[in-house]
Amino acid sequence: MKFKNYLNDKKILIDKTLDSVIPAEDKDPSIIHQAMRYSVFGGGKRLRPALTLASAELLGIDNKTAIYTACSIELIHTFSLIHDDLPCMDNDDFRRGKPSCHKVYGEPIALLAGNALLVYAYKTILKNNDFKEIKKETILSLIEEMTRCVDTENMLGGQVKDIIQEKKENKKEYLLGLYKQKTSALICAAIRSGAILAEATEKEMKALTRYGECIGLAFQITDDILDMMQDQRNPDKITYPGEFGIKEAKKDSEKFILEALDALKIFDDKSGFLSGLADYILTRQV
Ligand code: GRG
């Protein structure tokens, strides 16, 4: 199946499940549930949960068994976007072409909606307890993976570096380290979580981890290129294309994609969506 068709297909199941795990809009206190839903159903591409479903599927686990794990990753992603847009962070008035959460609901509610989504990510991953086929040790490993990708060595640390923007001698090494934490960590956790559910071998896990890290780096570099081309770049921030130019940024992004595709070779031709995503990153416009 083509990458776009696969993604559209998975989006239906992902959206339906997300709808079932977040409280209804009119549930008291309704304002926070409205804010959570505004951001979760605000037009996200659902790449991360689709990656969880795809890596699980690659290793023989069906979508039904992997769906709560996939959705918990999307909830963390949405949490990070709400907080990233806040005035004390990137101060972005728009997200996906619509007013950001704090512009609609105000800063205090947006902050709390972000916090609530993290809590619901944990509630959602714990729903795996309903599946007899998933061992308790596997659920613990999933929680460990999810917690690690958010910690101060990963997303939180990456966001700190993004804010304080230290001056470093080797800017490329510094920026790649920051992107690894800020962006690759969650993408990697999405892919690895599918593999954890499937009790992947060490060799499979190593290959998928390398794939995830490379895809994440290429994804963030491309995101920065798109921001720069659409004149949405924050001039106070150092970014890959800002420092090294669009041409070099594109060249390095392609290098990471090739490395990601190389990592998939051990799966022969079974990794359709994962290799399709690699191609998509290089050509994406949104
Ligand atoms: C502790 C989870 C956590 C977060 C706090 C705010 C923060 C620390 C981290 C921010 C990380 C961040 C926003 C990274 C940018 C990643 C990125 C390129 C997001 C855009 O991803 P898409 O295009 O989003 O997949 P859609 O809109 O499709 O959902």
Side-chain angles (χ1 to χ4, degrees), residues 52-64:
T52 306
L53 297 181
S55 68
E57 220 173 280
L58 173 68
L59 301 172
I61 298 293
D62 63 18
N63 289 178
K64 189 184 123 286

Side-chain angles (χ1 to χ4, degrees), residues 43-48 74 76-77 79-81 83-85 89 95-96 118 149-151 155-156 158-159 182-183 186 219-220 223 284 286:
K45 296 183 285 299
R46 311 298 193 214
L47 291 177
R48 293 158 189 79
E74 184 68 2
I76 291 188
H77 169 60
F79 151 48
S80 76
L81 298 183
H83 280 203
D84 193 49
D85 290 339
M89 301 268 177
R95 165 74 51 191
R96 303 164 177 148
L118 179 63
C149 84
V150 175
D151 72 17
M155 289 183 85
L156 280 161
Q159 184 72 355
K182 190 178 89 156
T183 308
L186 186 61
F219 190 80
Q220 185 60 57
D223 209 64
R284 81 186 182 108
V286 285

Side-chain angles (χ1 to χ4, degrees), residues 260-278:
L261 289 170
D262 187 60
L264 293 179
K265 280 190 179 146
I266 66 155
F267 301 107
D268 300 323
D269 55 359
K270 284 185 291 181
S271 57
F273 176 77
L274 302 182
S275 40
L277 176 76

Side-chain angles (χ1 to χ4, degrees), residues 208-225:
L208 289 171
T209 304
R210 184 163 149 247
Y211 165 84
E213 279 175 3
C214 292
I215 287 286
L217 291 176
F219 190 80
Q220 185 60 57
I221 295 173
T222 309
D223 209 64
D224 288 343
I225 294 174

Side-chain angles (χ1 to χ4, degrees), residues 59-271:
L59 301 172
I61 298 293
D62 63 18
N63 289 178
K64 189 184 123 286
T65 310
I67 193 62
Y68 287 128
T69 306
C71 287
S72 67
I73 296 280
E74 184 68 2
L75 293 174
I76 291 188
H77 169 60
T78 314
F79 151 48
S80 76
L81 298 183
I82 295 178
H83 280 203
D84 193 49
D85 290 339
L86 287 170
C88 60
M89 301 268 177
D90 270 9
N91 193 16
D92 266 322
D93 289 354
F94 290 93
R95 165 74 51 191
R96 303 164 177 148
K98 295 181 196 147
S100 34
C101 192
H102 67 272
K103 291 307 280 181
V104 179
Y105 294 96
E107 271 182 69
I109 295 298
L111 182 82
L112 293 172
N115 292 345
L117 288 175
L118 179 63
V119 173
Y120 275 80
Y122 280 94
K123 284 182 85 136
T124 303
I125 207 136
L126 286 169
K127 281 189 175 285
N128 281 323
N129 249 327
D130 299 348
F131 294 132
K132 292 223 165 39
E133 65 270 33
I134 305 182
K135 295 180 193 148
K136 301 289 173 247
E137 301 94 279
T138 304
I139 300 178
L140 267 182
S141 299
L142 290 171
I143 293 173
E144 195 181 351
E145 181 71 24
M146 203 168 95
T147 308
R148 191 179 53 80
C149 84
V150 175
D151 72 17
T152 51
E153 286 178 38
N154 292 290
M155 289 183 85
L156 280 161
Q159 184 72 355
V160 170
K161 287 184 185 161
D162 206 43
I163 290 168
I164 59 174
Q165 298 264 322
E166 295 163 296
K167 293 217 175 357
K168 291 281 175 190
E169 287 280 300
N170 188 337
K171 285 200 178 139
K172 208 173 246 194
E173 195 187 347
Y174 175 71
L175 273 172
L176 288 177
L178 190 163
Y179 289 179
K180 226 180 212 173
Q181 292 177 298
K182 190 178 89 156
T183 308
S184 283
L186 186 61
I187 289 179
C188 224
I191 297 157
R192 284 171 51 91
S193 295
I196 290 171
L197 276 168
E199 299 180 29
T201 64
E202 216 171 289
K203 189 177 166 196
E204 289 164 338
M205 192 57 102
K206 205 171 151 200
L208 289 171
T209 304
R210 184 163 149 247
Y211 165 84
E213 279 175 3
C214 292
I215 287 286
L217 291 176
F219 190 80
Q220 185 60 57
I221 295 173
T222 309
D223 209 64
D224 288 343
I225 294 174
L226 288 175
D227 275 355
M228 197 164 169
M229 296 203 309
Q230 290 156 8
D231 233 7
Q232 285 172 356
R233 178 175 164 244
N234 176 348
D236 302 331
K237 255 190 186 173
I238 62 160
T239 68
Y240 212 86
E243 287 303 309
F244 313 112
I246 290 190
K247 204 166 152 209
E248 188 165 338
K250 274 194 174 151
K251 192 178 96 238
D252 286 359
S253 168
E254 276 162 22
K255 191 190 83 188
F256 288 123
I257 292 294
L258 287 179
E259 208 178 318
L261 289 170
D262 187 60
L264 293 179
K265 280 190 179 146
I266 66 155
F267 301 107
D268 300 323
D269 55 359
K270 284 185 291 181
S271 57

